[in-house]
Amino acid sequence: MNVYQVSLKSSQTFRMELQWVWALCLLYGKTGLFRGTLLFKQAIVFYKPETVEALLSDPELIEKGSEYKLIVPWLGTGLVTSGGTKWRKHRKLLTPTFHFSILKNFIPVFQEQSEILVSKLQLRVQESWIDALPLIFSCTLDVICQTAMGISINGQNDENCEYSKAIHEIGDSIMYRGLRPWLYPDIIFNLTSQGRNFKTNIQIVHGLSEKVIKEKKIEMISDINLKSKSENDLEGSSFEKRKPFLELLLEYHLKDPSFTEKDVREEVDTFMFAGHDTTAVTVNWVLYCLGVYQKIQKKVHEELEDIFETEEINKISRETLTRMKYLECVIKVL
């Protein structure tokens, strides 16, 4: 198999780098991968299902690259950044928390926050174009706060929300640093204004997570019903009720102290990041593509009109979502 050497200068903007990568994927399309120099480092880009599958299905290839160190101050060693024994243990532990019997119970949260997002977008329909991503980010962050931590930060309606601003600025700082290799050493980054701002925002985010964790733990310990449950009761009932991700983690912590409060915080912070960021980018990309491809948009619209001829739009259920087959295909193909 041929491997191609390319050079991408570090002075290029992130957008230009993505355009380069896309062009190279088209140029070397039959191979499914190519090797390049990206920000002074060797990188192998996988872009075909066959090559990506070989990588992702290997149970031994779970160690993260050095770039992941940039987010360790924020996420610690949760699922995104950890490897080896800790990753395997936590992955096995956390998999049941994503059982659909839990997720379906949060559909009212998804709908409530989505309706707020739609109301924000409707106010700007007369504009020639808008950057929807910041609005979508605020929506998905509100959703993940309610479903992961069981708290409402009201980020969509409060532009001055400290936690929301801190999360967004942390993301900006990581991207800023990631594109400037000379800032990779902590001793240099910490001396910059960007580094100091990053540290301040980390303290805000960790402070809220730790506060919520301690309060929820005290509440659960004092709950007479929790004290009266056996270990089997906890395992059998946890996944049938509408419980935030944090509460499920604390149940594990109370049953097994080796899963520490720090572990709880790291996983909560990890899913706060992964849950809102990836979802927001996906939604934004889907909206963009629907705007570009009008025929596809029309078919999606017709499907939704058919569904809500017989169902109430303000009472969306799991069954309602399963009827959105064409929309699901659109999302998956992207």
Side-chain angles (χ1 to χ4, degrees):
M1 180 177 293
N2 293 322
V3 181
Y4 299 89
Q5 177 73 40
V6 298
S7 178
L8 299 177
K9 304 299 183 182
S10 62
S11 58
Q12 293 176 309
T13 64
F14 185 57
R15 183 176 179 181
M16 287 295 293
E17 286 164 356
L18 288 177
Q19 290 174 339
W20 264 97
V21 170
W22 176 243
L24 291 167
C25 291
L26 293 176
L27 181 61
Y28 304 125
K30 293 183 179 181
T31 64
L33 76 165
F34 62 83
R35 186 183 68 194
T37 302
L38 182 63
L39 299 175
F40 306 113
K41 294 190 66 176
Q42 291 291 307
I44 298 178
V45 178
F46 296 81
Y47 57 90
K48 293 186 73 175
E50 296 81 5
T51 53
V52 173
E53 181 183 16
L55 177 67
L56 297 182
S57 62
D58 192 319
E60 300 303 318
L61 297 178
I62 58 174
E63 296 300 326
K64 309 305 189 296
S66 59
E67 293 80 9
Y68 281 76
K69 293 180 181 178
L70 302 182
I71 58 177
V72 167
W74 176 16
L75 306 182
T77 51
L79 279 182
V80 168
T81 53
S82 64
T85 303
K86 182 172 183 178
W87 182 89
R88 290 186 176 87
K89 177 183 177 182
H90 285 208
R91 183 71 175 84
K92 183 178 180 180
L93 181 72
L94 297 175
T95 296
T97 65
F98 296 98
H99 192 282
F100 197 78
S101 64
I102 296 174
L103 296 179
K104 70 179 182 182
N105 290 328
F106 286 104
I107 289 177
V109 175
F110 304 150
Q111 180 165 0
E112 175 189 356
Q113 296 301 332
S114 296
E115 288 174 352
I116 295 174
L117 172 61
V118 170
S119 70
K120 299 289 183 183
L121 292 171
Q122 286 176 332
L123 295 175
R124 305 180 63 177
V125 293
Q126 300 303 322
E127 299 180 28
S128 58
W129 72 276
I130 65 169
D131 181 2
L133 189 56
L135 298 176
I136 300 171
F137 267 132
S138 295
C139 174
T140 56
L141 187 58
D142 275 348
V143 168
I144 201 67
C145 279
Q146 285 186 254
T147 56
M149 289 203 292
I151 62 171
S152 175
I153 62 171
N154 196 30
Q156 292 198 83
N157 292 318
D158 182 5
E159 295 181 358
N160 297 315
C161 174
E162 185 180 53
Y163 183 81
S164 180
K165 289 174 65 177
I167 290 284
H168 293 154
E169 289 181 9
I170 287 172
D172 291 342
S173 295
I174 291 171
M175 181 61 71
Y176 179 89
R177 187 182 185 186
L179 297 175
R180 294 164 177 79
W182 55 90
L183 295 180
Y184 283 14
D186 290 338
I187 193 170
I188 296 177
F189 181 64
N190 292 340
L191 292 174
T192 66
S193 60
Q194 190 75 231
R196 291 191 293 271
N197 188 52
F198 179 72
K199 183 178 180 180
T200 298
N201 286 321
I202 291 293
Q203 291 172 342
I204 292 172
V205 170
H206 285 178
L208 179 62
S209 297
E210 290 168 357
K211 177 176 179 291
V212 174
I213 287 169
K214 290 185 183 300
E215 290 176 351
K216 178 58 69 174
K217 182 178 177 180
I218 292 173
E219 177 185 324
M220 291 175 67
I221 290 175
S222 63
D223 187 339
I224 190 170
N225 293 325
L226 178 64
K227 288 182 179 179
S228 66
K229 289 181 179 179
S230 67
E231 184 173 328
N232 288 335
D233 289 334
L234 284 174
E235 290 178 352
S237 64
S238 293
F239 307 126
E240 299 302 326
K241 297 181 179 180
R242 178 172 162 174
K243 294 185 178 181
F245 180 64
L246 168 59
E247 190 169 330
L248 296 170
L249 292 180
L250 282 172
E251 285 186 356
Y252 288 127
H253 164 64
L254 293 173
K255 290 185 289 183
D256 181 6
S258 67
F259 187 72
T260 66
E261 281 191 28
K262 182 182 178 183
D263 290 327
V264 173
R265 195 209 72 203
E266 288 178 345
E267 297 301 351
V268 168
D269 286 340
T270 293
F271 281 90
M272 291 296 294
F273 160 64
H276 97 276
D277 183 83
T278 54
T279 305
V281 170
T282 301
V283 170
N284 191 63
W285 183 240
V286 169
L287 292 178
Y288 171 78
C289 289
L290 287 174
V292 172
Y293 299 100
Q294 297 287 313
K295 291 182 180 179
I296 305 275
Q297 180 187 144
K298 184 179 179 181
K299 290 182 179 179
V300 170
H301 195 268
E302 289 173 349
E303 178 182 70
L304 295 177
E305 282 190 325
D306 289 341
I307 291 172
F308 291 110
E309 275 186 0
T310 56
E311 297 189 30
E312 294 184 52
I313 197 168
N314 62 341
K315 293 183 179 180
I316 293 177
S317 64
R318 165 59 182 162
E319 290 67 31
T320 307
L321 297 178
T322 59
R323 294 181 62 189
M324 300 178 186
K325 299 186 184 300
Y326 187 80
L327 177 59
E328 182 180 3
C329 289
V330 170
I331 295 172
K332 286 184 175 180
V333 79
L334 296 174

